[in-house]
């Protein structure tokens, strides 16, 4: 019997192959997982050769279960694996617990796994040329495959073009309503474009829209020339900014991503510049989340090249790219429940496969991980001060570096450990580290944050100490 894997979604459609875009039929090594009641489940027995059906459900009840769409990425979903393919898998029902059903049916190898094992299995599927999943706030990598392989990024290059443009706006060197006169060089750009004409006047804001929505090469060059005067100087700035971000796999040759000798980057570096753009310039979402719009007083329509903006819940951007040599690339970003993820896919075979892989990465991240804060619910108590102008000092935590990404299985069991001295001796400087706050999962330290003095406390002067001694002597008399 030919062995196949099937995925049934809530709309009743059947899809062959894996959730992660492999072209060939997949056997027992198929990895499909979602979060359920604090642990992950996946088929782990590579020796199993029966036909399998995978279906998504909310929870098991006494009267069976109802299929639910995996694309929602909501917690509480689970993957059920059955040995034989039913004629109508949508009618599959089971009572009792999943483990009881699997035991009764003799289905092997379903167990809870940690995400490191899961990541290895996804990586072994080999469905993406290069890919990476990163959490934006912490910069933590949640999945990586060939992340440092140097590849052509196509128009994903424009993330750096946008970053430098937004840097210039934030510094005051540029403004959204500044008018740009389009040069012959910009108007002559090939590839994706908004057909700017030489001498045409257009605002920086509309050019940003053209780059973010329609990936206009002519608009990207017009912005580059407005920021740096000429594209050569702008490209130099691009490479300098890349080095400053630690993008060691990157060399830019132009601001568009059109094919050029030596114009390469990596999935890791794309995630770095995507994170920088989103973190330093959150207003860029005003452009990257546009689905359709227009320029030239409504006479020229724009449609977003990133279809996830329309079809993926929580999508915030960011940039697609394609050339014949680069393949289909994307830096896809989405935010749910306060956590924003960056999914990078490079050298995809088709636009649909690229988008499917990006969605799979995002679904995995939102299903398996959550963002937690190390800040306790109750304020930190003030600490007594000796030999100071004040008797105590308030405590605070840094403004950044106080969040961590943890597996959802860990979130409910996290504990806080505060290490502080009984007293502090003055003088104390504002921002001085006086202790540590550690977020722990069992014996594992997840995150350690410095505890800082909230204000300065000068040491007592000789005159103040003499006065205090006199008061004490009078009191004792």
């Amino acid at each position: 019997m030919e062995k196949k894997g099937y995925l049934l979604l809530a709309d009743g459609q059947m899809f062959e192959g894996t959730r992660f875009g492999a072209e060939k039929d997949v056997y027992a090594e198929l990895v499909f997982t979602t979060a359920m009641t604090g642990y992950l489940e996946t088929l782990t027995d590579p020796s199993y050769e029966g036909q399998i059906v995978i279906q998504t459900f909310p929870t098991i009840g006494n009267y069976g279960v109802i299929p639910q769409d995996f694309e929602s990425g909501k917690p509480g979903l689970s993957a059920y694996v059955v040995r034989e393919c039913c004629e109508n898998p949508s009618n599959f029902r089971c009572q009792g617990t999943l483990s009881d059903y699997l035991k009764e049916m003799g289905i092997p190898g379903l167990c809870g796994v940690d995400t490191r094992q899961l990541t290895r299995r996804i990586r072994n599927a080999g469905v993406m040329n290069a890919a990476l999943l990163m959490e934006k706030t912490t910069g933590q990598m949640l999945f990586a495959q060939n992340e440092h392989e140097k590849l052509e990024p196509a128009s994903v290059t424009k993330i750096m073009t946008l970053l430098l443009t937004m840097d210039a706006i934030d510094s005051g060197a540029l403004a959204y309503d500044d008018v740009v006169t389009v040069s012959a060089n910009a108007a002559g750009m090939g590839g994706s474009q908004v057909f700017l004409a030489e001498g045409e006047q257009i605002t920086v804001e509309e050019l940003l829209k053209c780059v973010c929505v329609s990936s206009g090469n002519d608009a990207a060059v017009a912005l580059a020339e407005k920021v740096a005067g000429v594209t050569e100087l702008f490209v130099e700035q691009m490479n300098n900014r890349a080095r400053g971000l630690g993008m060691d796999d990157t060399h830019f040759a132009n601001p568009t991503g059109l094919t050029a000798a030596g114009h390469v980057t990596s999935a890791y570096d794309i995630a770095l510049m995507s994170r920088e753009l989103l973190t330093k310039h959150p207003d860029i979402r005003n452009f990257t989340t546009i689905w359709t719009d227009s320029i030239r007083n409504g006479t020229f329509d724009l449609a977003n090249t990133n279809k996830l903006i329309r079809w993926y819940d929580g999508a915030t951007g960011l940039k697609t790219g394609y050339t014949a040599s680069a393949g289909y690339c994307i830096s896809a970003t989405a935010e749910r429940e306060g956590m924003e993820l960056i999914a990078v896919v490079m050298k995809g075979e088709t636009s649909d496969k690229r988008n499917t892989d990006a969605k799979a990465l995002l679904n995995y991240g939102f299903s398996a991980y959550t963002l937690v804060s190390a800040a306790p619910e109750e304020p930190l108590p003030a600490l007594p001060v000796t030999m100071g102008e004040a008797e105590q000092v308030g405590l605070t935590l840094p403004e950044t570096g106080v969040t961590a990404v943890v597996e959802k299985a860990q979130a409910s069991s996290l504990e806080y450990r505060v290490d502080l001295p009984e007293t502090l001796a003055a003088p104390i400087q504002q921002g001085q580290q006086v202790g540590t706050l550690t977020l722990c999962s069992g014996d594992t330290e997840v995150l350690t944050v410095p505890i800082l003095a909230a204000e300065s406390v000068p040491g007592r002067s000789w005159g103040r100490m003499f006065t205090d001694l006199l008061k004490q002597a009078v009191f004792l008399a």
Side-chain angles (χ1 to χ4, degrees), residues 84-157:
E84 300 300 333
C85 178
C86 306
E87 285 188 7
N88 187 355
S90 63
N91 290 332
F92 173 68
R93 296 288 183 270
C94 87
Q95 295 180 340
T97 66
L98 173 60
S99 57
D100 288 341
Y101 178 79
L102 296 175
K103 185 177 181 180
E104 178 184 345
M105 297 296 292
I107 299 176
L110 193 71
C111 64
V113 296
D114 64 26
T115 53
R116 290 180 295 276
Q117 180 180 350
L118 174 63
T119 298
R120 286 195 297 272
R121 289 186 171 273
I122 297 174
R123 182 183 293 114
N124 291 339
V127 299
M128 306 168 195
N129 193 299
L132 183 138
L133 181 66
M134 177 181 286
E135 193 283 317
K136 184 203 70 178
T137 301
T138 62
Q140 181 176 333
M141 284 193 295
L142 308 180
F143 173 83
Q145 175 177 293
N146 301 327
E147 68 273 20
H148 289 291
E149 183 177 355
K150 295 181 179 181
L151 297 167
E152 294 179 53
S155 285
V156 178
T157 297

Side-chain angles (χ1 to χ4, degrees), residues 460 462-477:
R460 291 182 186 176
W462 285 105
R464 171 69 183 274
M465 287 190 288
F466 181 72
T467 302
D468 289 344
L469 286 173
L470 284 177
K471 289 180 180 179
Q472 186 176 10
V474 171
F475 176 79
L476 291 174

